[in-house]
Amino acid sequence: MADSAIVIAHRGASGYLPEHTLPAKAMAHAMGADFIEQDIVLTRDGIPIVLHDIYLQSTTDVAQKFPDRVRSDGRFYAIDFTLAEIRSLRAHERSEFSDSNEERAVFPNRYPLAKGLFTVPTLDEEITLIEGLNHSTGRTAGFYIELKAPQFHRQHGFDMAKIILAILDERGLAGQTERVYLQCFDDKTLRYLREELRTPLPLIQLIGENDWGEDGNTDYDVMKTSEGLASIATYADGIGPWIGQIIVGTDDNGQPIFSDLIEKAKAHGLLVHPYTFRREQVPAGFDSFEALHRTFFEILDVDGIFTDFPDVTRAYLDGR
Ligand code: G3P
Ligand code: CA
C-alpha cells in the first residue's frame, strides 16, 4: 500500500465553501489537506487567477456586473477582463441555469448560492495565504497547480507555463519538488515544461475523454494504452485519471468492474492521483463514500486523490 498517500483538496474544501475562494483554501488547510489545488487561467493583462473555467459566469456575478461583455456563445471569458475588473466581481457557489432559465446550485446541499461575500483570488494571493497558514500552523500544505487551456491562452498571446513558473520563482517555489505539483490535460504543455523550460517540479498528466473538448487535441484513448503510458513516463511523474476510467461499470451482481489503467500506469513507474471524489457522486457498486475510499486506497493502492471533502479523506487515511 502507498504509505504516504496524499489528500489533494480539489478546488479547496469545495464541498463546504465556494470553489477556489480563499476561505475554501483556508478550510482545506485546517482540515489537513496535504496539497491544495489551484486551477489557473489568465486575465486580459496576463495575471494568473485561480478559477476553474476559462469563463466567469458559472461562479461569479459577471453577467450582472458586465452584461455587455458577453461573447456570441453566451459566455464571459476571463481573458476579456482585466484583473481590476475581475477584482470587482463577487464569487459564489457554482450554478447553472434550468430549462426555464432559473439559476440553481449545481450541488444544492453545499454552501448556499448567496452572493456578495467572496472574490476571485490571484495565484500570488493564494500562495500568500497558504504560505501564511503553513507558517502560523506549523503544518505544511503544498500547491497542486493546473494550467487550464494553455493552447487557448497561447492563441491570446500568453505563454502561461512561463508566467506561472516566473511567479513560482519569485515566491521561492520553483525548485520545491516536495511542495509543488504541476498538472495539465495538454501533453504538449507538460513536455514543454519538462523539456524546454526544464522545471524540476513533478508533473501530472491529466487524462480526460476525447469528447470533453479540452484544448490541445490530446488523444486520451492513446494515453490509456501501455504505449501511451510509457510515453507519459518520459516527461511526467504521474497521471490524473478520472474515476470513470478506473471504475468502468458494474457486473451482474452490482459489483464494480475495474479497468487495468492503474496497474499499467504503475508498471511504468507513474504516480496515480485520480479525480474527483465527491460525496454526492459515489459511483454505482459502492454503498458509501467511505467504501469508495477503501477501494481506492486499500485495493487499487493509489498515491493520492483529488477530493472535494478533504476532511473525510484525511480522516480515512489517518484511521488506516
Ligand atoms: O485537476 C484534477 C481535476 O481537477 C481535473 O478536473 O475539471 O476539476 O479541473 P477539473
Ligand atoms: Ca483541476
Side-chain angles (χ1 to χ4, degrees):
M1 104 180 168
D3 53 6
S4 54
I6 56 171
V7 178
I8 308 157
H10 182 250
R11 312 183 197 174
S14 55
Y16 303 100
L17 279 162
E19 65 182 54
H20 285 320
T21 58
L22 292 181
K25 303 307 172 76
M27 190 172 192
H29 195 290
M31 287 176 161
D34 297 301
F35 287 84
I36 299 175
E37 190 197 30
Q38 297 79 34
D39 289 316
I40 301 299
V41 308
L42 301 181
T43 64
R44 193 167 92 194
D45 31 3
I47 310 297
I49 56 172
V50 186
L51 187 75
H52 176 268
D53 306 341
I54 58 172
Y55 327 113
L56 289 155
Q57 71 277 354
S58 300
T59 53
T60 77
D61 59 354
V62 67
Q64 287 81 49
K65 292 253 170 67
F66 296 98
D68 303 340
R69 305 279 289 278
V70 66
R71 286 200 196 181
S72 57
D73 63 3
R75 290 166 168 157
F76 298 77
Y77 286 71
I79 197 77
D80 294 340
F81 292 81
T82 63
L83 178 61
E85 289 170 334
I86 287 174
R87 283 196 194 286
S88 75
L89 301 178
R90 288 296 165 267
H92 56 72
E93 185 67 25
R94 178 169 288 271
S95 69
E96 61 190 2
F97 284 86
S98 67
D99 292 342
S100 54
N101 211 28
E102 211 174 308
E103 190 176 16
R104 62 187 179 199
V106 170
F107 295 102
N109 293 328
R110 293 191 176 185
Y111 195 86
L113 194 49
K115 298 181 180 173
L117 211 49
F118 306 101
T119 53
V120 177
T122 65
L123 173 60
D124 196 55
E125 288 164 347
E126 182 150 334
I127 291 172
T128 298
L129 175 82
I130 294 173
E131 291 286 56
L133 288 168
N134 287 345
H135 179 79
S136 62
T137 65
R139 194 188 70 78
T140 300
F143 302 87
Y144 207 121
I145 300 170
E146 180 178 349
L147 290 75
K148 282 289 184 194
Q151 305 301 342
F152 166 86
H153 285 100
R154 197 173 276 282
Q155 285 157 16
H156 286 79
F158 293 114
D159 181 339
M160 74 185 312
K162 263 192 187 164
I163 290 171
I164 290 171
L165 284 185
I167 289 186
L168 292 177
D169 193 36
E170 274 168 30
R171 302 302 303 261
L173 292 166
Q176 298 279 329
T177 56
E178 303 292 318
R179 296 181 54 209
V180 184
Y181 279 96
L182 298 177
Q183 47 163 339
C184 194
F185 279 103
D186 176 35
D187 57 334
K188 290 166 280 305
T189 295
L190 290 178
R191 285 183 189 276
Y192 174 58
L193 277 159
R194 177 66 84 233
E195 293 162 8
E196 294 186 46
L197 301 181
R198 302 253 170 214
T199 179
L201 296 174
L203 303 180
I204 299 295
Q205 174 70 61
L206 298 174
I207 305 182
E209 298 293 339
N210 288 345
D211 61 5
W212 282 1
E214 296 290 339
D215 85 341
N217 292 323
T218 304
D219 189 334
Y220 301 111
D221 289 340
V222 170
M223 267 185 188
K224 289 183 285 184
T225 65
S226 198
E227 295 70 28
L229 292 160
S231 171
I232 290 172
T234 65
Y235 62 84
D237 301 88
I239 59 167
W242 74 283
I243 291 180
Q245 291 167 333
I246 298 163
I247 311 293
V248 293
T250 51
D251 64 19
D252 292 345
N253 299 316
Q255 296 302 304
I257 300 171
F258 302 100
S259 73
D260 61 356
L261 180 59
I262 292 182
E263 203 181 316
K264 285 190 299 194
K266 284 174 179 285
H268 291 289
L270 292 163
L271 296 168
V272 181
H273 294 163
Y275 63 93
T276 301
F277 284 65
R278 294 181 165 125
R279 191 149 55 194
E280 304 92 337
Q281 294 176 338
V282 173
F286 296 88
D287 56 16
S288 68
F289 197 35
E290 207 254 347
L292 187 67
H293 278 77
R294 197 178 320 118
T295 295
F296 271 78
F297 285 117
E298 314 310 335
I299 298 172
L300 299 170
D301 197 21
V302 297
D303 302 287
I305 63 171
F306 288 89
T307 175
D308 286 4
F309 297 90
D311 55 337
V312 177
T313 306
R314 175 84 280 147
Y316 178 81
L317 288 175
D318 287 353
R320 277 171 121 182

